[in-house]
């Protein structure tokens, strides 16, 4: 691929020496840029970063670029390339090319470029598969090379967001009008009384009671299922067994991945000035913090969070406790919360605070500890998954108790300082083995697929919560899409709602689940396909019209629909 770029330069100038020197200079500069990008932001420079040059320049302005030994080495490695270019110029001598020679050179270059690109990328069995980008950028860039990975990234820049049928700016406006009379409960709080907000995406937090009879020797979710002054239910995650960033994006943005079915959001989307819970709370005067007790390179979180507008980001080096469960390498939720408390207390006292956390404790695999370290044991026979199930359930037991510790800390803070805090926590997805241990006689396959994507959520406050104990009158699981959690949290915090949030909350009353297939679920837990109920169809389609108006490449965003009225 690098040779193809050299051929392009040669076709333009007709000199191998100049082509070698120019392409070598381009790659050297690119290597230096990537060195600093990787060092400061944990990921390679990608094509979509071009869309964020303004933000990148602003962020880079706060860093000091040190000239390290690696930087010097990269620069010095251009010298042999330059020497080769000079030798090529000397050997070629001076002679003017005829137009026939120019055409022949251009044709030869085109054939060479076509051969490399066809065999490498576009043939029926290419050297590099068409889709290789996964949860971590390294998987593609380190295996296939920087240029190959960048070509794949560039291909998705064209338009990764699907335009829904029937979309128009007028359709989006009409949809928003459907929810303009929505009345929030509780009433909007005074600006001086805004509570601090915690939002937690809990790694692999899932309730196996949904799909099997565990008969475990411990009450696994004793705290979260019985916590006073709380709202308990289930959110519907986009995927099963993985895709944390998909849940993270839906949670923060309230945009459904149904319009983006083939992408990892933080890796592909332009998040600069994106409307989200972050931007909404910043508009209300909140100081904002995002944290993850692991590496910053996964899903390019560091740069993505900064682009979304978080004031500060924190990763594994800012979580000093380093407590793990047995041989598992991930920091426990209990230790994570204790470290997070210090970060929270260091935030500005004169502003309401928003804290977003992505935990790591319960990440797979679940065969890292010896059986004697398991806390929970399931009596049901799961065959080869017995030991995996016990280690997984032990992790969920620890997550549940750790959340109880967090609520105790925040209650003490309220008693000491009077700072009101509201917290929402939800699981990002079920563990990957869920279908192997699920009891398929529980329900039909369609409902089982929904249950396998139904992760627990909990909203709790350290002050009296008006809607505590609120559950659906008809859906025993009290379900809603992950996209609806942030609006629900904002509403229960008594904060002003954007028209987009108003629409989602109104939609939740009639169709709380919009799945990743050609169906959706009404408030009674009944699944419908499009065309069965025109009124419900209009509500669901209206949501997608609003979402596309918010993020679609061919839409003119009506910002007043996605921002708090001032």
């Amino acid at each position: 691929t690098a040779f193809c770029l050299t051929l392009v330069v040669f076709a333009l100038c007709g000199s191998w020496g100049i082509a070698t020197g120019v392409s070598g200079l381009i790659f050297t500069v690119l290597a230096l840029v990537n060195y600093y990008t990787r060092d400061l932001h944990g990921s390679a420079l990608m094509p979509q970063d071009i869309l964020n040059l303004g933000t990148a320049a602003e962020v880079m302005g706060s860093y000091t670029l040190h000239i390290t030994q690696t930087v010097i080495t990269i620069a010095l490695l251009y010298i042999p390339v330059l020497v080769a270019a000079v030798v090529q110029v000397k050997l070629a001598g001076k002679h003017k090319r005829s137009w026939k020679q120019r055409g022949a050179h251009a044709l030869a270059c085109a054939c060479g470029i076509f051969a490399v690109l066809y065999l490498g990328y576009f043939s029926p069995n290419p050297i590099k598969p068409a889709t290789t980008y996964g949860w971590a950028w390294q998987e593609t860039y380190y295996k296939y090379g920087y240029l190959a990975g960048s070509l794949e990234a560039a291909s998705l820049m064209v338009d990764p967001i699907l335009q829904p049928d029937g979309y128009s700016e007028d359709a989006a406006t009409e949809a928003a009008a459907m929810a303009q009379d929505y009345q929030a409960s509780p009433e909007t709080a005074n600006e001086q009384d805004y509570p601090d907000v915690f939002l937690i995406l809990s790694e692999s937090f899932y309730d196996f009671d949904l799909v099997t009879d565990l008969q475990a020797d411990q009450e696994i979710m004793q705290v979260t299922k019985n916590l006073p002054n709380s709202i308990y239910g289930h959110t519907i995650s986009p995927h099963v067994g993985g895709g944390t960033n998909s849940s993270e994006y839906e949670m923060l943005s309230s945009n459904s991945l149904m319009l983006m079915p083939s992408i990892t959001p933080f890796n592909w989307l332009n998040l600069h000035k994106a409307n989200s819970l972050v931007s909404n709370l910043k508009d209300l005067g909140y100081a904002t913090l995002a944290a993850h007790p692991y590496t910053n390179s996964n899903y390019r979180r560091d740069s993505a969070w900064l682009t979304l507008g978080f004031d500060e980001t924190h990763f594994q080096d800012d979580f000093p406790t380093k407590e793990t469960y047995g041989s598992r390498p991930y920091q426990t939720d209990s230790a994570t919360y204790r470290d997070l408390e210090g970060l929270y207390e260091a935030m500005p006292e004169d502003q309401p605070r928003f804290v977003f956390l992505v935990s790591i404790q319960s990440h797979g695999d679940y065969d890292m500890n010896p059986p004697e370290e398991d806390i929970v044991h399931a009596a049901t026979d799961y065959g080869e998954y017995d030991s995996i199930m016990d280690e997984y359930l032990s992790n969920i037991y620890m997550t549940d108790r750790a959340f109880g510790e967090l609520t105790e800390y925040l209650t003490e803070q309220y008693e000491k300082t009077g700072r009101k805090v509201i917290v929402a926590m939800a699981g990002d997805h079920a563990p990957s083995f869920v279908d192997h241990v699920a009891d398929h006689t529980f329900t039909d396959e369609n409902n089982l697929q929904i249950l396998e994507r139904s992760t627990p959520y909990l909203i709790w406050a350290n002050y009296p919560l008006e809607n505590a104990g609120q559950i659906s009158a008809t859906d025993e699981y009290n379900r809603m899409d992950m996209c609806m959690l942030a609006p629900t949290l904002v509403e229960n915090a008594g904060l002003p709602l954007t028209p987009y949030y108003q629409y989602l909350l109104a939609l939740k009353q009639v169709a709380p689940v919009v799945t990743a297939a050609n169906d959706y679920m009404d408030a009674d837990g009944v699944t419908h396909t499009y065309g069965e109920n025109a009124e419900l169809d209009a509500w669901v389609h209206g949501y997608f019209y609003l979402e596309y108006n918010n993020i679609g490449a061919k839409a003119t965003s009506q910002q007043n629909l996605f921002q708090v009225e001032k």
Side-chain angles (χ1 to χ4, degrees), residues 480-502:
M480 64 177 168
D481 256 317
M482 187 71 77
C483 302
M484 298 172 182
L485 182 60
T488 303
L489 173 61
V490 169
E491 179 182 40
N492 280 280
L495 300 176
L497 298 172
T498 66
Y500 191 42
Y501 279 7
Q502 281 184 301

Side-chain angles (χ1 to χ4, degrees), residues 140-290:
T140 290
Y141 278 61
Y142 286 173
K143 183 173 183 178
Y144 297 102
Y146 176 77
L147 295 175
S150 294
L151 278 179
E152 180 179 338
S155 68
L156 279 173
M157 283 179 64
V158 177
D159 190 2
I161 303 168
L162 304 178
Q163 180 173 313
D165 292 339
Y167 171 78
S168 67
E169 264 71 41
D170 288 342
T173 302
E174 292 168 4
M178 294 170 63
Q180 64 184 3
D181 294 329
Y182 178 82
Q183 294 296 316
S185 173
E187 294 182 359
T188 304
N190 294 323
E191 188 173 344
Q192 294 76 20
D193 204 32
Y194 288 168
D196 293 347
V197 175
F198 275 59
L199 180 60
I200 301 168
L201 187 62
S202 184
E203 174 63 47
S204 300
F205 187 54
Y206 181 73
D207 181 8
F208 265 102
D209 285 340
L210 295 176
V211 294
T212 182
D213 181 14
L214 292 170
Q215 301 182 39
D217 59 355
Q218 300 278 357
E219 188 173 350
I220 301 166
M221 297 173 61
Q222 180 179 4
V223 173
T224 46
K225 286 187 177 182
N226 302 290
L227 191 64
N229 195 44
S230 69
I231 303 167
Y232 180 83
H234 295 85
T235 54
I236 309 301
S237 61
H239 305 294
V240 172
T244 298
N245 189 235
S246 297
S247 299
E248 182 178 359
Y249 175 76
E250 286 198 344
M251 176 183 275
L252 288 172
S253 71
S254 293
N255 297 324
S256 170
L257 288 183
M258 278 194 68
L259 297 188
M260 309 163 247
S262 61
I263 67 169
T264 304
F266 281 9
N267 290 333
W268 303 123
L269 296 180
N270 176 18
L271 301 174
H272 181 49
K273 294 185 178 179
N275 297 305
S276 69
L277 180 60
V278 189
S279 62
N280 291 341
L281 293 183
K282 284 177 73 74
D283 284 347
L284 295 175
Y286 276 74
T288 58
L289 176 154

Side-chain angles (χ1 to χ4, degrees), residues 451-520:
L451 289 174
E452 289 178 352
R453 292 169 51 206
S454 300
T455 61
Y457 81 83
L458 187 73
I459 297 176
W460 171 89
N462 67 356
Y463 59 93
L465 192 62
E466 184 174 315
N467 293 322
Q470 181 189 66
I471 60 172
S472 169
T474 51
D475 176 18
E476 61 177 314
Y477 301 110
N478 199 29
R479 285 174 288 202
M480 64 177 168
D481 256 317
M482 187 71 77
C483 302
M484 298 172 182
L485 182 60
T488 303
L489 173 61
V490 169
E491 179 182 40
N492 280 280
L495 300 176
L497 298 172
T498 66
Y500 191 42
Y501 279 7
Q502 281 184 301
Y503 191 92
L504 277 160
L505 291 167
L507 175 65
K508 187 174 74 167
Q509 294 183 341
V510 294
V513 177
V514 180
T515 74
N518 187 35
D519 55 21
Y520 54 87

Side-chain angles (χ1 to χ4, degrees), residues 127-147:
I127 296 171
K128 180 192 173 298
T131 304
T132 62
Y133 213 105
W135 68 282
W137 62 272
Q138 294 98 322
E139 291 183 7
T140 290
Y141 278 61
Y142 286 173
K143 183 173 183 178
Y144 297 102
Y146 176 77
L147 295 175

